[in-house]
Amino acid sequence: MSLSRRSFLTVAAMIPWAFRAGSSVRIPIGLELYSVREALQKDPEATVRAVAEMGYECVEFYGPYYDWTESQAKQMRKLLDDLGIRCNSTHNDQEYFGAEKIQHARNLNLILGSKYLVMASADLGNGPDRWKAVADSLNAAAEQLAASGLKVGYHNHEPEFTAAAGTRPIEVLAKNTKSSVMLQLDVGTCLKAGSDPAAWIRANPGRIRSLHLKDWSSDPAKGYKVLFGEGDADWKKIFAAAESVGGVEYYLLEQEGSRFGEVETARRCLQSFRAAHA
């Protein structure tokens, strides 16, 4: 008896990662869908299907998903289930964590099967007090969502790794948030800010549960436009830290854009990831 591709993917999605890879835990590789934002805007379902057919095992929806109705979220969840892929997390505007909007974000994420609501960025005011306030809002959201089985996270950009008054904002966030709050590491922006991604992972054991695998080149003509593996990131060192002490649960490739179209870029980055992370 042979299984169709859809049936095979559905069955495979039910098998624990540890059993799929023998004795070692296998970390699923996903795509932050901002990488294919133009295609996603035109046809969300066709884009998610194309991403799954490339071989991605999970996806991360970003800001515009919040405008969905619960019916639209259920339709997307059915597609994810049919394709045998997961939505482990969503990227959310800071305002979605406020009292007026967090309930809708909660409902959509529960429908999608998410585990984490990630704050994609925060008000970039100066001084540690502003970042302490962001930490407080993350803690409050974590308490509010815990009963639903959902967790929260924070995604860095360059400012969080740029020292202000002698302290990097990311350190304020890490120190003042609950251990349940995921510190989602954007590798490329960490590098551009002059920090060492692997060192940051090792300094925060168990909290780097997902990473955006975005490369960056110090060549000003290239910057974020390089494909995965073409920039300055020491991926071997980063993977070793993430998997030994970071607590990584899934990886997400992300791309700002490249010399190729966005769909082809996503395909090439996945191929390069597989070669680098055999």
Side-chain angles (χ1 to χ4, degrees):
M1 181 183 297
S2 61
L3 290 174
S4 67
R5 172 179 167 79
R6 177 178 296 180
S7 298
F8 175 80
L9 288 171
T10 301
V11 172
M14 298 169 61
I15 302 173
W17 295 107
F19 287 99
R20 276 195 244 178
S23 60
S24 62
V25 175
R26 186 178 186 281
I27 311 299
I29 177 64
L31 183 68
E32 159 54 57
L33 291 172
Y34 180 76
S35 306
V36 289
R37 51 197 174 276
E38 293 182 7
L40 191 72
Q41 184 178 15
K42 293 176 182 177
D43 193 332
E45 292 193 6
T47 303
V48 170
R49 187 178 297 278
V51 167
E53 289 175 352
M54 289 180 201
Y56 283 100
E57 298 155 314
C58 55
V59 294
E60 184 175 73
F61 292 100
Y62 69 103
Y65 92 95
Y66 184 87
D67 294 331
W68 292 349
T69 63
E70 291 189 12
S71 177
Q72 288 174 307
K74 289 177 181 177
Q75 186 174 348
M76 181 58 71
R77 174 61 186 273
K78 182 180 184 304
L79 177 63
L80 295 174
D81 289 345
D82 288 346
L83 294 170
I85 63 174
R86 290 183 54 85
C87 170
N88 290 322
S89 54
T90 58
H91 259 208
N92 299 266
D93 295 349
Q94 186 176 11
E95 63 182 290
Y96 299 171
F97 288 79
E100 296 181 356
K101 295 193 173 185
I102 195 170
Q103 191 67 22
H104 184 57
R106 167 196 173 275
N107 293 345
L108 293 182
N109 277 268
L110 287 174
I111 292 169
L112 290 171
S114 300
K115 183 176 180 180
Y116 296 101
L117 276 76
V118 180
M119 186 180 291
S121 64
D123 184 356
L124 305 178
N126 294 321
D129 290 344
R130 183 63 62 89
W131 290 101
K132 176 63 165 56
V134 174
D136 291 343
S137 69
L138 290 168
N139 288 333
E143 290 182 5
Q144 185 172 348
L145 296 172
S148 301
L150 293 169
K151 297 182 179 182
V152 303
Y154 187 85
H155 177 87
N156 68 270
H157 291 90
E158 293 167 42
E160 287 86 341
F161 277 97
T162 302
T167 303
R168 295 183 301 178
I170 193 68
E171 294 169 343
V172 177
L173 292 174
K175 180 180 179 181
N176 291 284
T177 49
K178 299 173 180 289
S179 60
S180 64
V181 176
M182 171 176 67
L183 301 174
Q184 185 183 68
L185 177 61
D186 184 311
V187 173
T189 57
C190 176
L191 281 171
K192 187 176 180 182
S195 291
D196 180 344
W200 175 248
I201 294 169
R202 294 189 180 280
N204 294 273
R207 298 197 63 184
I208 318 297
R209 298 174 203 132
S210 70
L211 293 84
H212 276 206
L213 307 182
K214 179 166 63 184
D215 216 331
W216 173 79
S217 172
S218 51
D219 180 344
K222 297 178 179 178
Y224 292 120
K225 300 300 184 181
V226 291
L227 298 177
F228 174 90
E230 292 181 346
D232 295 358
D234 185 340
W235 292 112
K236 183 176 181 180
K237 185 178 177 182
I238 292 167
F239 291 145
E243 294 170 27
S244 62
V245 299
V248 63
E249 297 172 7
Y250 57 102
Y251 290 122
L252 293 162
L253 283 162
E254 184 190 15
Q255 194 73 25
E256 299 285 348
S258 80
R259 58 193 182 277
F260 302 102
E262 58 182 19
V263 174
E264 181 62 19
T265 293
R267 189 188 315 278
R268 287 173 179 263
C269 284
L270 180 57
Q271 292 172 346
S272 296
F273 168 84
R274 285 172 169 164
H277 189 272

